[in-house]
Amino acid sequence: MKKLGFDLILLGDPTSGKDTQAVLLMKRYSLKAVESGKHWRTIAKKKNAEGAWLRKTMSLGHPAPVVLMKKFLRDSVRNAPKNKNLIFIGNPKLKPEGQFLTKLLKEKNRDFFVLYLKILVPEILKRTKLRARLKSEDEGVRNRIRYTKRQMSKTVKYFQSLDKLKLINGNQSIPKVTKDILKEIERYSKTIKN
């Protein structure tokens, strides 16, 4: 399997298909997944202070506390395998986390590229309804969308200021989104080789 030579950060709007695209990319390239969602679900089950803090935060519809995310990112970069690049799936969400991860990767001489899957709010609502089998729109879902878009826009602008991010239209079929992602990865590969 081909090693990219740089890490990937796959971000996106809620329900934009980040996990689906990550799986497809891992079949193509030598990548190790850095999945905060799975990690938080494990921590939230623990009967300790960290687990309680995380459960409280998640119940409000907020992302994991920045302190916990930074610890998770630090451990993920520290334990990165030498024969694979990392693919961060859905994280870092907040700008301070993005800045922290950039610093960590720079310290380890690891280059990175960010892809953001963008979808329209009506599509997010439709996909959320299907996933959760909701009969009607939930105000909590709308609040989560607003919060995520507001916070993620700062993270997107930060990575754009580094010239490290490309937006991908997520309102397409899965193969078309994959094709667009691969095109951007190839384009980025060429720029770092020149």
Side-chain angles (χ1 to χ4, degrees):
M1 231 184 275
K2 182 182 173 187
K3 190 176 176 201
L4 281 172
F6 53 89
D7 296 322
L8 286 175
I9 298 174
L10 188 57
L11 302 175
D13 293 326
T15 72
S16 59
K18 297 176 290 290
D19 292 327
T20 301
Q21 293 301 326
V23 167
L24 295 170
L25 289 168
M26 286 188 289
K27 286 179 181 172
R28 187 177 192 101
Y29 301 110
S30 186
L31 296 165
K32 180 185 186 307
V34 179
E35 300 173 84
S36 57
K38 198 180 278 186
H39 178 71
W40 300 140
R41 286 188 289 277
T42 304
I43 299 292
K45 288 177 187 170
K46 294 185 178 179
K47 295 184 185 333
N48 60 14
E50 211 173 67
W53 188 18
L54 197 56
R55 284 191 300 278
K56 184 180 178 189
T57 306
M58 290 165 83
S59 71
L60 296 170
H62 297 299
V66 173
V67 152
L68 295 182
M69 179 56 95
K70 284 183 175 180
K71 181 180 183 290
F72 170 72
L73 293 172
R74 187 183 303 109
D75 292 346
S76 299
V77 172
R78 186 182 296 142
N79 300 322
K82 299 214 183 310
N83 62 336
K84 291 184 177 191
N85 291 111
L86 299 173
I87 180 167
F88 296 85
I89 307 165
N91 65 77
K93 281 185 172 68
L94 306 178
K95 183 181 172 186
E97 298 166 356
Q99 291 168 320
F100 181 74
L101 180 58
T102 300
K103 184 176 165 235
L104 281 176
L105 295 173
K106 203 173 193 178
E107 285 169 2
K108 297 282 186 183
N109 293 319
R110 298 181 74 96
D111 190 21
F112 69 94
F113 182 54
V114 186
L115 296 152
Y116 190 93
L117 303 180
K118 197 155 182 46
I119 62 174
L120 302 170
V121 172
E123 185 62 20
I124 296 172
L125 292 169
K126 187 174 116 187
R127 292 181 188 187
T128 302
K129 245 190 219 181
L130 287 171
R131 281 186 185 182
R133 292 180 174 80
L134 297 172
K135 290 186 173 52
S136 62
E137 261 174 43
D138 179 77
E139 191 52 35
V141 171
R142 283 195 174 274
N143 287 339
R144 180 175 158 234
I145 293 166
R146 278 191 290 271
Y147 178 83
T148 303
K149 283 197 174 277
R150 188 171 59 247
Q151 293 304 322
M152 289 296 291
S153 68
K154 296 172 190 172
T155 312
V156 166
K157 283 177 188 155
Y158 168 69
F159 285 127
Q160 282 174 326
S161 75
L162 301 177
D163 203 22
K164 290 280 191 186
L165 181 137
K166 283 293 173 188
L167 295 173
I168 303 289
N169 177 4
N171 289 307
Q172 310 175 86
S173 67
I174 291 170
K176 181 75 175 91
V177 172
T178 306
K179 187 179 173 189
D180 288 354
I181 286 173
L182 295 176
K183 198 185 303 175
E184 292 301 341
I185 287 173
E186 194 57 40
R187 194 174 292 156
Y188 186 74
S189 289
K190 285 176 182 166
T191 63
I192 60 170
K193 284 173 187 165
N194 293 337

